[in-house]
Amino acid sequence: KYQKYKFKSSFKKSSFNLKIDLDLDEYIFIELLNYEKKEDKIANISTEFNLVNEKIKINKINYSEGKNLISLNEIDINKKNNFKSFKNIKVKTFKNDKENNNFEVLFDKKIVIKGKNYDSTNLIKNINNKVSSNLFKEINKEIRISFENIFTKLSIPLNNFNLIGKIEKGKFVKISSKSEFSENQYLDISLKKDPNSNKKILEIYSDIPKPLLADFNFFKGIEGGQLLFTSVFNNKSSSSNLQIKNFKVLNAPAFAKLLALADLTAPAVHLSGEGLSFESLEVKFTDNDKIRKIKEIYAVGPSITILMDGYIENESGLTSLRGTMVPAKEINKLISKIPILGDILIGKETGEGVFGVSFKMKGLPGKIKTT
């Protein structure tokens, strides 16, 4: 389905210049911006670039479709197709007729990203995608980011987002960031180098965990609480710890299966009603190129305690978890107070009990079987 187009080229022995102006009706989705162009909409792209001694200098790339505008200016790309520099990038897009992106990126002594809105719906998914190439490895700069509003996957907006950091070889080596969900509810992010190794230390604190967990099915149904995530990592592996305090679980399929399996009527009623309460959840895991090893998942609540371990394969998504549920923590606590007998039956560790249910969860995404 060719639309209107115009090409103009000129060339010498060592240089080549090309100007392009074309309309297109193909479907377009830019995941990092959550921007989508339907197939029946006409968009326009105009660009001018020079190829000199195998180096590319893009004078401009302008994309427009209705009210949506994306422009990139004066981009230098070296022989290995790595970005060296650019003047600026401007983005203004709409989702369902509401503005979801409106910001500018400036490249000078520092990289400055500032604007009114940014749609981060697919940001965490993109961060978790392991990409072997780094097109920005020529970039070594300090960076400042400020947005009035950041839209998240669950329509819980972040306000007054501010970040200062440093990029070396195209990757963050230092971050200090603060923003707020609402009054007295904050999101803090920090990244720094470990002085004793070549690893980095990432810390995230959030008064509302749900937006950060939206891309992970395991945490589906979590409401409320406070989140603290720490990770020590390098290019090959990482060791991480996730803690969530004082939260509830509502209508979570995995939890519902376990409770039904154990015939735990009271906790199941809470799960489908006001929510199953937990005092704390801690997840310890390690990552490498092939596998995420779950060293421990430990959840403690008034009605139930759960302990799990296992693994998730990166390529296939195959999940294998096994664990034990100890229901009726309060009953076990009463038994523990019986002199001598209580120590023998229960022990002194939080979450231990007289009886429990062992289980296994294994399968590919969407096909996990619980026994």
Side-chain angles (χ1 to χ4, degrees):
K1 296 187 193 176
Y2 285 104
Q3 305 295 322
K4 292 190 299 180
Y5 65 92
K6 187 176 182 180
F7 290 82
K8 183 178 181 181
S9 62
S10 57
F11 50 91
K12 299 178 183 177
K13 286 185 178 180
S14 59
S15 66
F16 176 79
N17 176 269
L18 181 62
K19 293 180 181 180
I20 302 171
D21 190 307
L22 59 89
D23 292 342
L24 69 162
D25 68 350
E26 281 85 357
Y27 174 81
I28 294 174
F29 180 59
I30 303 176
E31 195 170 39
L32 201 58
L33 301 174
N34 197 27
Y35 164 75
E36 182 180 38
K37 186 192 83 67
K38 303 290 186 181
E39 193 171 357
D40 57 342
K41 296 285 182 81
I42 301 295
N44 176 266
I45 293 178
S46 63
T47 181
E48 180 182 348
F49 64 89
N50 300 297
L51 180 63
V52 182
N53 296 323
E54 298 183 12
K55 294 179 182 179
I56 301 172
K57 168 82 176 192
I58 301 174
N59 298 322
K60 66 172 185 177
I61 301 176
N62 291 329
Y63 171 89
S64 63
E65 180 261 314
K67 297 184 291 183
N68 299 283
L69 299 167
I70 301 172
S71 68
L72 301 85
N73 296 289
E74 297 183 23
I75 303 167
D76 281 334
I77 300 173
N78 66 14
K79 294 180 180 180
K80 296 181 180 179
N81 291 328
N82 295 316
F83 284 94
K84 288 186 65 180
S85 67
F86 59 89
K87 182 180 179 182
N88 65 2
I89 300 170
K90 293 182 179 180
V91 177
K92 190 172 185 178
T93 66
F94 293 79
K95 186 83 172 176
N96 299 323
D97 291 326
K98 290 185 178 180
E99 183 181 274
N100 66 330
N101 287 291
N102 187 349
F103 63 90
E104 183 176 14
V105 185
L106 303 171
F107 189 97
D108 201 353
K109 292 180 180 179
K110 296 179 180 179
I111 297 174
V112 178
I113 304 174
K114 60 181 181 179
K116 184 179 178 183
N117 299 321
Y118 172 60
D119 190 332
S120 71
T121 298
N122 302 308
L123 182 61
I124 292 177
K125 185 166 64 174
N126 275 269
I127 290 172
N128 282 280
N129 287 339
K130 298 189 184 328
V131 179
S132 57
S133 63
N134 179 8
L135 300 176
F136 303 98
K137 62 184 177 182
E138 298 287 332
I139 305 298
N140 299 282
K141 294 273 185 182
E142 291 186 3
I143 184 169
R144 287 182 175 270
I145 303 174
S146 59
F147 289 110
E148 292 180 28
N149 308 293
I150 291 184
F151 303 117
T152 66
K153 191 167 189 174
L154 297 172
S155 301
I156 302 174
L158 271 168
N159 305 312
N160 303 319
F161 179 89
N162 288 283
L163 179 149
I164 57 174
K166 189 174 183 181
I167 293 174
E168 292 180 359
K169 296 181 179 179
K171 294 184 178 181
F172 276 104
V173 295
K174 184 179 179 182
I175 287 175
S176 178
S177 169
K178 195 174 189 72
S179 53
E180 56 188 30
F181 293 103
S182 60
E183 189 175 352
N184 298 322
Q185 291 184 310
Y186 300 101
L187 171 66
D188 296 336
I189 304 171
S190 71
L191 176 70
K192 57 188 177 183
K193 286 184 176 180
D194 183 351
N196 301 317
S197 68
N198 65 341
K199 295 184 176 181
K200 300 173 190 174
I201 303 170
L202 173 66
E203 291 187 357
I204 300 173
Y205 172 82
S206 178
D207 281 314
I208 302 181
K210 199 172 180 180
L212 302 176
L213 303 174
D215 283 305
F216 303 97
N217 288 329
F218 180 82
F219 299 104
K220 189 175 181 180
I222 284 184
E223 299 283 345
Q226 299 85 38
L227 176 148
L228 177 63
F229 175 76
T230 58
S231 182
V232 180
F233 65 97
N234 57 21
N235 293 332
K236 294 182 179 179
S237 63
S238 66
S239 178
S240 306
N241 187 297
L242 172 67
Q243 297 179 49
I244 306 175
K245 302 287 187 181
N246 304 316
F247 64 96
K248 290 184 177 182
V249 178
L250 285 167
N251 301 317
F255 275 91
K257 279 186 180 180
L258 290 178
L259 297 175
L261 191 69
D263 195 21
L264 302 176
T265 306
V269 169
H270 285 302
L271 185 68
S272 60
E274 62 186 18
L276 190 60
S277 296
F278 285 89
E279 294 159 9
S280 67
L281 166 69
E282 185 168 10
V283 184
K284 298 178 181 178
F285 60 97
T286 58
D287 277 298
N288 58 37
D289 291 338
K290 294 182 179 179
I291 198 167
R292 170 169 288 175
K293 184 176 181 181
I294 312 293
K295 298 171 73 174
E296 183 178 85
I297 299 175
Y298 186 45
V300 181
S303 302
I304 194 167
T305 298
I306 300 175
L307 181 66
M308 285 189 276
D309 60 46
Y311 64 87
I312 302 170
E313 292 182 355
N314 291 337
E315 187 172 343
S316 66
L318 176 68
T319 299
S320 177
L321 297 170
R322 64 180 182 179
T324 303
M325 288 190 300
V326 179
K329 182 183 137 187
E330 295 301 328
I331 296 175
N332 286 317
K333 188 185 290 184
L334 288 173
I335 297 172
S336 72
K337 292 180 180 179
I338 301 173
I340 302 176
L341 184 62
D343 287 343
I344 295 171
L345 290 175
I346 305 294
K348 297 184 181 295
E349 294 295 322
T350 302
E352 290 187 352
V354 174
F355 59 97
V357 179
S358 295
F359 62 88
K360 290 183 179 180
M361 303 170 72
K362 189 167 185 177
L364 296 169
K367 298 179 180 179
I368 294 177
K369 293 183 178 180
T370 306
T371 55

